[in-house]
């Protein structure tokens, strides 16, 4: 049986103090995807937490870098030295302050948009042509508090919206695995 291999990278910061913050929504979505597909996130290698499972016809690796956001590319580069993949077979899941809370957007490539985790990946890949799924976390009214804002948690009302977005994000990842980036964009970017 000919199978494809995919890598899904959730961006976030390790440590209890960062759990379920706006900046860690990438980790949270990878966790939810792992639960949905019974993939154990128990591997520790390449400066990351790793899961390995099957989704449909595909072998799927899940990766949560433990390098802190700004060095995310280091962990992914280490993983790819052991398991080389085309950039088109890697999906990066990240928060985005430019999108309203709960909005999701899939793209086949693009700039980092000021996101340090994406900047690190672009630097290590020497390319910005890799799929990414961005989840809107809103933006602070005062840009000077942006760091505290992204390292903060969602309000109760926002969390309900984010929970729904995370369910849609898992579905978008499933479609990306099965059908590719274009169908997933067409289905999920309009909501």
């Amino acid at each position: 049986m000919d199978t494809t291999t995919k890598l899904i990278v959730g961006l976030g910061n390790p440590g209890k103090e960062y759990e379920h913050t706006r900046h860690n929504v990438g980790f949270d979505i990878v966790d939810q995807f792992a639960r949905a597909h019974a993939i154990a996130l128990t591997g520790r290698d390449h400066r990351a937490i790793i899961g390995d499972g099957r989704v449909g016809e595909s072998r799927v690796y899940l990766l949560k870098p433990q390098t802190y956001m700004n060095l995310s590319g280091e962990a992914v580069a280490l993983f790819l030295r052991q398991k080389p993949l085309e950039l088109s077979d890697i999906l990066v899941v990240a928060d985005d302050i430019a999108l309203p809370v709960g909005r999701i957007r899939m793209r086949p490539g693009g700039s980092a948009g000021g996101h340090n985790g994406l900047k690190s990946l672009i630097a290590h890949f020497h390319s910005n042509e890799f799929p990414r799924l961005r989840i809107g976390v809103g933006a602070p009214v005062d840009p000077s508090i942006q760091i505290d804002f992204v390292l903060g948690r969602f309000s109760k009302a926002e969390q309900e919206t984010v929970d729904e977005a995370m369910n849609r994000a898992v579905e978008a990842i499933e479609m990306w695995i099965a059908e590719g980036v274009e169908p997933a964009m067409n289905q999920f970017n309009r909501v």
Side-chain angles (χ1 to χ4, degrees):
M1 177 174 40
D2 186 28
T3 61
T4 58
T5 300
K6 303 289 186 185
L7 171 63
I8 299 157
V9 179
L11 298 186
N13 286 309
K16 282 268 185 230
E17 68 269 35
Y18 298 110
E19 283 181 4
H20 310 301
T21 59
R22 293 171 193 272
H23 221 21
N24 271 35
V25 77
F27 275 10
D28 292 341
I29 289 168
V30 164
D31 288 342
Q32 189 160 326
F33 185 88
R35 283 190 299 274
H37 293 279
I39 298 172
L41 284 164
T42 52
R44 285 193 162 271
D45 201 1
H46 316 292
R47 300 178 71 195
I49 294 172
I50 300 170
D52 176 7
R54 298 200 71 76
V55 178
E57 299 296 308
S58 297
R59 182 170 190 180
V60 176
Y61 289 100
L62 305 178
L63 192 105
K64 291 167 56 179
Q66 299 296 290
T67 52
Y68 289 94
M69 185 67 81
N70 296 1
L71 302 175
S72 298
E74 290 181 11
V76 180
L78 285 169
F79 178 87
L80 291 174
R81 278 194 205 124
Q82 300 293 317
K83 298 187 178 15
L85 291 170
E86 297 294 324
L87 292 184
S88 59
D89 290 324
I90 301 168
L91 178 67
V92 177
V93 185
D95 61 292
D96 192 335
I97 63 168
L99 291 173
V101 173
R103 182 79 49 86
I104 69 172
R105 285 285 176 272
M106 188 170 286
R107 293 277 184 264
S111 75
H115 192 289
N116 288 331
L118 291 173
K119 280 182 194 167
S120 177
L121 286 163
I122 289 168
H124 281 274
F125 291 164
H126 306 291
S127 172
N128 64 3
E129 294 304 310
F130 56 91
R132 72 277 314 261
L133 179 62
R134 300 175 299 134
I135 292 62
V137 297
V141 178
D142 177 359
S144 72
I145 63 161
Q146 183 172 315
I147 292 171
D148 289 337
F149 180 80
V150 297
L151 295 179
R153 287 175 173 75
F154 296 102
S155 70
K156 192 167 189 285
E158 286 175 329
Q159 190 63 57
E160 289 176 13
T161 302
V162 170
D163 289 345
E164 291 171 17
M166 287 176 34
N167 290 333
R168 286 197 320 277
V170 167
E171 292 171 9
I173 294 168
E174 291 165 347
M175 182 172 272
W176 173 77
I177 291 167
E179 300 180 41
V181 73
E182 293 290 336
M185 284 170 57
N186 292 339
Q187 175 80 24
F188 291 93
N189 286 3
R190 20 184 205 107
V191 180

